Structure formats: C-alpha cells, structure tokens
Amino acid sequence: MAKLKILEFPDPRLRKKASPVDAVDDALRQLIGDMFETMYAAPGIGLAATQVDVHKRLLVTDVSPDKTEPHVLINPEILEKDGVALTDEGCLSVPGYYEEVERAGHIRVRFLDRAGEPQEMEVEGLLAVCIQHEMDHLEGKLFVDYLSEAKRQRIRKKLEKDRRQAAIVM
Ligand code: ZN
C-alpha cells in the first residue's frame, strides 16, 4: 500500500465531477487500500477518490474511534434522506477549518462493495454525515461551499498564504 497526496482547496481538480466505476478489479482494490492508508494516516474519518486526484465514484470511511469499521462505497447513490444533523465539519482538503454544516440526519444508500456486490444500508449520525460529505466531493463540491462567500474567500486566502510560507522552508 502507499500513501497518496491529498489535494487541497482551492485546487481546481477538487471541482471535477467523478465518473462511475465500471469495473471493480484488483487495480481498484489497490486504490481502495491506498485510500484507507492515506485516510488513517492523515488522520481523517472519510476520503473520496476525488481528493487523491482519481475522478471515479468511490469513497472510504471509518468513523469508529478505533479504526474497526471501514466502509467502501463504490458508485454510491442516496435513495432516501430525512432528519437534520448539524455538525462541525472539517475536511482533509481544507486543513485546519471546522464549520457547522446542515445535512440529513438519516440516509439510505445503495452502492457496490469492494467485491463489486450491490449493497444497501441505512445509516444515521456521524456516518450519515460523513457519507454525504464524501459524496459531495464526487460532485466537485466542498463543505466550504455551504458557507458565505466572504468566509470561503477568507479560508482560501489563509490556505494560500500557509502554502506559500511552507514553500520557502528548505
Ligand atoms: Zn472532505
């Protein structure tokens, strides 16, 4: 397995819309393994393929405190959503920022698992929020898009400044 580079806001590649996965093969399973390694090392509780510059409809999550509940969702599709969850969200592609976002509190989602088998699950709470956050990435959408334009620009400027400073450290 290998750790992958995570794209950071405002990288335009984060705005690409992902295409459906057409074959769940060994190459895809290798990518899934690398995505888990990258997510756990970061550390984060979810990662979409878009964030590692692979524009396929694939995401991984593990919201458990002890990294024992990995989920792989390929070509995920939300069938039902209801309720409201307000969560302070962060994102590996927007490091250091946490803002409250409103999403559905409960979802039913259909997807292919890592064997390529169709699955459906009903989830609520943090896992439901995380899946919705990662599915946004597949559409080229970031959690900062839910914030005001002024706030988003502030975050963008700060992250660009941080990167410029990081760039001159030798
Ligand atoms: Zn994210």
Side-chain angles (χ1 to χ4, degrees):
M1 293 206 292
K3 239 168 74 182
L4 306 169
K5 186 175 158 15
I6 299 175
L7 301 178
E8 291 184 4
F9 176 71
D11 193 309
R13 291 172 289 181
L14 287 168
R15 296 305 189 179
K16 284 195 202 171
K17 195 169 148 70
S19 320
V21 170
D22 47 19
V24 181
D25 54 14
D26 287 345
L28 194 82
R29 279 184 282 269
Q30 170 77 44
L31 172 64
I32 291 166
D34 290 347
M35 284 174 63
F36 272 115
E37 185 178 343
T38 305
M39 178 187 82
Y40 285 133
I45 60 169
L47 189 68
T50 306
Q51 292 176 277
V52 293
D53 202 21
V54 175
H55 301 280
K56 289 183 184 168
R57 303 188 74 79
L58 160 68
L59 64 91
V60 300
T61 77
D62 187 342
V63 302
S64 70
D66 49 358
K67 305 180 180 179
T68 52
E69 290 165 34
H71 291 283
V72 177
L73 281 74
I74 300 165
N75 297 342
E77 206 185 324
I78 290 181
L79 303 174
E80 275 171 37
K81 54 164 98 178
D82 56 59
V84 174
L86 281 175
T87 312
D88 269 336
E89 294 190 17
C91 178
L92 294 176
S93 294
V94 191
Y97 287 89
Y98 303 88
E99 296 285 347
E100 188 172 77
V101 176
E102 181 179 326
R103 300 193 188 266
H106 168 260
I107 59 170
R108 195 154 64 84
V109 63
R110 178 161 61 200
F111 56 97
L112 301 178
D113 64 17
R114 71 167 94 198
E117 295 298 323
Q119 303 287 347
E120 252 182 59
M121 67 180 181
E122 250 184 86
V123 291
E124 56 185 10
L126 186 56
L127 182 56
V129 167
C130 184
I131 289 171
Q132 291 171 83
H133 174 118
E134 304 311 331
M135 284 182 71
D136 272 357
H137 278 300
L138 304 179
E139 301 299 325
K141 190 166 181 178
L142 296 166
F143 86 97
V144 293
D145 297 347
Y146 294 95
L147 311 178
S148 70
E149 177 66 22
K151 202 170 234 177
R152 189 162 52 249
Q153 289 309 326
R154 260 201 314 280
I155 294 173
R156 180 192 177 118
K157 286 204 178 91
K158 176 77 170 57
L159 283 174
E160 282 173 342
K161 187 166 162 243
D162 289 351
R163 264 197 294 283
R164 273 200 305 279
Q165 282 170 348
I168 54 167
V169 175
M170 295 183 190

